[in-house]
Amino acid sequence: MKLLIGGDFVPGKWIGSALERKNYSFLDDFRNLAKDADLSIINLECPFIKNGEKPIEKYGPNLGCDPKAANAVAYAGIGLVTLANNHIKDYGESALRRTIKCCESAGVATVGVGSDNLDASKPFIFNHNGESVGIINCCEHEFSIATESSAGANALDPIKQYYQIKELKREVDYVVVIVHGGHENFNLPSLRMQKNYRFFVDAGADAVINHHQHCYSGYELYKEKPIFYGLGNLCFEDEGNSPESWFEGFLVSINLEKNITFEIHPYIQFKDDKMLKLSYDSKILDNIEELNTVINDDTLLKERLKDYYEKSSINIPMVFDLYTNKFLLKLRYHHLLPSFFNKKLKLRIQNHVLCESHFDKLKYFFTRKLGI
């Protein structure tokens, strides 16, 4: 059985105009690869919204797109979209339900969300030629998570996923776990991510795939099973001043058999010609090999993480600052304004405490920089 898996799909303004014209040619390269796969999967990282629909209150941007995007996804030969991500509930539960319905109407299955946390955790099971694979999809804790009484995304919970993998492996031939998380614009996994994803393999997962960081990462073979730590943006238009890594990524074809094999397909996305174009330049593949060297060396990975956390530490005090306006921040820093607690601050702190990757940086700041 062959799976083709890609990263984050967020239709922006240009894609929106293409959807209006029913022009889906920007996905032709993906479509051609998908013809050779039994199941193609991408991460749909925004809900389908209506004009005038109000976004939820949260820290960070609210993403949404035209429901016509479902037709583009179907055109590309994508059979399943993962929805457990940090933006899928940006416009509330009604938009989430609309997204599921629109995908199903276009013949595209969904996984990773549900009417409550139990429903959201249900795996997607795909049967083909007498074999079966179970797909588990989850994401780190931000503002999209389902609860016991509200719809949303399936939360990353390594212990819960461990038992789910073991149970699912009794029902299907293969299990693949797809996680949405990690440090944005940083191309290596945290030690927590590496430990959790290896834990999933220990439970019986045949492959683990991660996306979210807006850049691709490397991979490792753990107990002969592949763990991909970041695929990069799939179709995510630049809003200005993005680094080169924003435009680069790769698809991965995974052959599920007794000995798991895979192939990487590098691409450039929406850089100059507003297309997803497979790249035959060795640059991306060479860089992946360099990242793999770091991932497979505990000392090197810890050094790179330390450098990243050091650079990130300069922004940590801002998380707890009561002011968000630049002018007010300057006045506050000069003690010309009093402190006060507001809703934006509450949401900012909530996001940094509950989201695993943000909390990794907080822990480093408090232990290494403040000595707590």
Side-chain angles (χ1 to χ4, degrees):
M1 187 185 300
K2 187 174 183 179
L3 307 182
L4 177 66
I5 304 175
D8 304 334
F9 180 63
V10 180
K13 292 179 181 178
W14 188 92
I15 294 179
S17 64
L19 297 177
E20 287 291 337
R21 303 190 306 271
K22 297 184 179 180
N23 177 9
Y24 313 134
S25 60
F26 61 92
L27 288 170
D28 277 352
D29 276 11
F30 188 105
R31 178 185 171 121
N32 290 333
L33 274 180
K35 291 175 182 177
D36 191 40
D38 300 310
L39 177 66
S40 294
I41 308 167
I42 67 167
N43 178 56
L44 176 61
E45 198 172 356
C46 59
F48 297 149
I49 62 174
K50 293 181 177 180
N51 288 333
E53 200 158 20
K54 291 184 179 180
I56 65 168
E57 288 187 299
K58 59 175 287 191
Y59 178 72
N62 295 78
L63 302 180
C65 71
D66 192 313
K68 295 185 184 72
N71 297 325
V73 171
Y75 168 86
I78 295 159
L80 174 67
V81 290
T82 56
L83 297 181
N85 57 64
N86 56 309
H87 287 289
I88 199 60
K89 202 176 172 182
D90 277 4
Y91 283 80
E93 293 187 25
S94 60
L96 172 60
R97 287 191 290 270
R98 181 185 308 115
T99 303
I100 297 171
K101 186 175 180 180
C102 287
C103 286
E104 291 176 347
S105 296
V108 179
T110 63
V111 67
V113 295
S115 57
D116 54 36
N117 55 4
L118 184 61
D119 190 36
S121 68
K122 290 179 180 177
F124 174 79
I125 296 177
F126 178 71
N127 296 285
H128 181 75
N129 288 343
E131 291 188 311
S132 57
V133 58
I135 311 289
I136 295 172
N137 178 217
C138 57
C139 65
E140 293 184 358
H141 290 67
E142 293 202 46
F143 295 89
S144 62
I145 299 302
T147 68
E148 290 183 358
S149 57
S150 65
N154 184 32
L156 173 66
D157 181 339
I159 295 175
K160 177 181 176 181
Q161 271 101 47
Y162 179 90
Y163 287 112
Q164 186 178 22
I165 292 166
K166 293 185 79 67
E167 182 179 345
L168 186 58
K169 201 62 184 284
R170 300 190 193 103
E171 303 174 26
V172 299
D173 299 298
Y174 306 101
V175 172
V176 174
V177 182
I178 302 178
V179 189
H180 192 77
H183 297 307
E184 291 188 344
N185 299 307
F186 181 62
N187 58 6
L188 289 166
S190 67
L191 298 179
R192 172 190 53 79
M193 290 170 65
Q194 187 176 59
K195 181 166 65 174
N196 285 345
Y197 298 176
R198 288 177 175 179
F199 186 57
F200 294 158
V201 172
D202 289 337
D206 295 286
V208 181
I209 295 92
N210 185 82
H211 38 57
H212 169 62
Q213 306 99 314
H214 302 303
C215 60
Y216 65 83
S217 183
Y219 63 87
E220 68 173 333
L221 288 175
Y222 175 71
K223 295 185 176 179
E224 301 182 349
K225 303 298 173 67
I227 302 175
F228 293 90
Y229 288 105
L231 302 183
N233 294 325
L234 179 68
C235 286
F236 208 133
E237 294 173 55
D238 172 40
E239 295 187 358
N241 301 318
S242 293
E244 188 72 17
S245 56
W246 181 275
F247 305 99
E248 300 173 338
F250 65 88
L251 301 164
V252 59
S253 296
I254 299 179
N255 295 300
L256 297 174
E257 47 197 7
K258 185 176 180 180
N259 296 313
I260 307 293
T261 60
F262 58 87
E263 184 178 359
I264 287 172
H265 308 280
Y267 58 76
I268 305 296
Q269 67 94 26
F270 284 80
K271 186 176 181 182
D272 298 317
D273 52 8
K274 303 298 183 184
M275 301 282 284
L276 172 71
K277 299 189 75 170
L278 293 177
S279 172
Y280 299 99
D281 189 334
S282 64
K283 174 194 165 189
I284 295 177
L285 290 174
D286 290 344
N287 195 32
I288 290 172
E289 286 301 319
E290 291 178 10
L291 293 169
N292 293 349
T293 299
V294 177
I295 289 169
N296 285 279
D297 186 316
D298 289 347
T299 300
L300 281 177
L301 181 57
K302 288 176 182 177
E303 287 176 357
R304 293 285 186 91
L305 282 165
K306 181 180 178 182
D307 289 343
Y308 171 74
Y309 290 142
E310 282 290 326
K311 292 174 183 176
S312 301
S313 292
I314 192 171
N315 296 316
I316 295 300
M318 302 283 286
V319 172
F320 301 96
D321 201 287
L322 306 177
Y323 296 91
T324 55
N325 179 278
K326 290 182 179 179
F327 177 71
L328 295 178
L329 280 170
K330 287 185 179 180
L331 292 178
R332 176 73 183 91
Y333 288 149
H334 289 90
H335 306 288
L336 298 175
L337 285 176
S339 296
F340 63 91
F341 194 87
N342 59 36
K343 194 165 189 178
K344 284 186 177 180
L345 174 63
K346 177 184 175 183
L347 292 171
R348 192 163 71 235
I349 293 175
Q350 175 185 336
N351 187 228
H352 281 76
V353 171
L354 295 183
C355 173
E356 290 85 347
S357 286
H358 289 315
F359 192 66
D360 286 341
K361 290 187 282 188
L362 284 182
K363 286 191 292 185
Y364 181 89
F365 177 77
F366 281 111
T367 56
R368 297 294 184 88
K369 305 298 285 185
L370 299 186
I372 297 175

